[in-house]
Amino acid sequence: IVEEYILLSVLLHVFVGLKRTWDMKLALVKTQGVNALNLAGTGLMLLTFMTIHLFQFRFGDTEQFGPYLIRPPPYLINFWGIPSLNLFWTDETSVAPVGVRDIYALEFQ
């Protein structure tokens, strides 16, 4: 259900930005030229980039690489792993391994 709220907030942000661009910036094109639409253009490019990559990460076939298991720390942050950047997993064998998606393998293999 969190994903639906994120999607709704992103769509609201996009539609408000497009409405404001339509109302305010299109009138400036006559006096300032196309440079008045730089923010709208870069916003649409960023939206396209984020949409493509979020679909790759969310719906990508990571099962083809087999199971990828980590041991999550008790409070979801490994405070003892901060110096070595092992923040999100622990080596304690008392913690049961949990399957996660291997996004790195999806992008680089």
Side-chain angles (χ1 to χ4, degrees), residues 40-53:
T42 56
L44 289 175
M45 285 189 285
L46 182 61
L47 177 67
T48 305
F49 173 81
M50 287 176 46
T51 303
I52 290 170
H53 286 287

Side-chain angles (χ1 to χ4, degrees), residues 11-107:
L11 288 176
L12 177 67
H13 186 85
V14 168
F15 288 130
V16 168
L18 289 174
K19 176 74 168 111
R20 288 180 55 90
T21 300
W22 183 265
D23 291 344
M24 297 178 180
K25 296 292 183 175
L26 288 181
L28 291 176
V29 171
K30 295 176 185 172
T31 59
Q32 294 181 359
V34 183
N35 289 335
L37 297 177
N38 280 346
L39 185 63
T42 56
L44 289 175
M45 285 189 285
L46 182 61
L47 177 67
T48 305
F49 173 81
M50 287 176 46
T51 303
I52 290 170
H53 286 287
L54 285 175
F55 270 98
Q56 286 177 345
F57 291 159
R58 181 66 176 98
F59 302 113
D61 182 22
T62 58
E63 297 297 322
Q64 63 184 337
F65 306 112
Y68 189 76
L69 304 173
I70 64 167
R71 298 178 190 273
Y75 296 108
L76 301 180
I77 298 265
N78 184 9
F79 294 106
W80 303 113
I82 290 175
S84 59
L85 296 179
N86 294 332
L87 298 175
F88 304 112
W89 62 87
T90 182
D91 295 328
E92 294 180 27
T93 57
S94 62
V95 178
V98 176
V100 295
R101 295 172 47 89
D102 191 4
I103 301 297
Y104 180 82
L106 180 66
E107 290 297 316

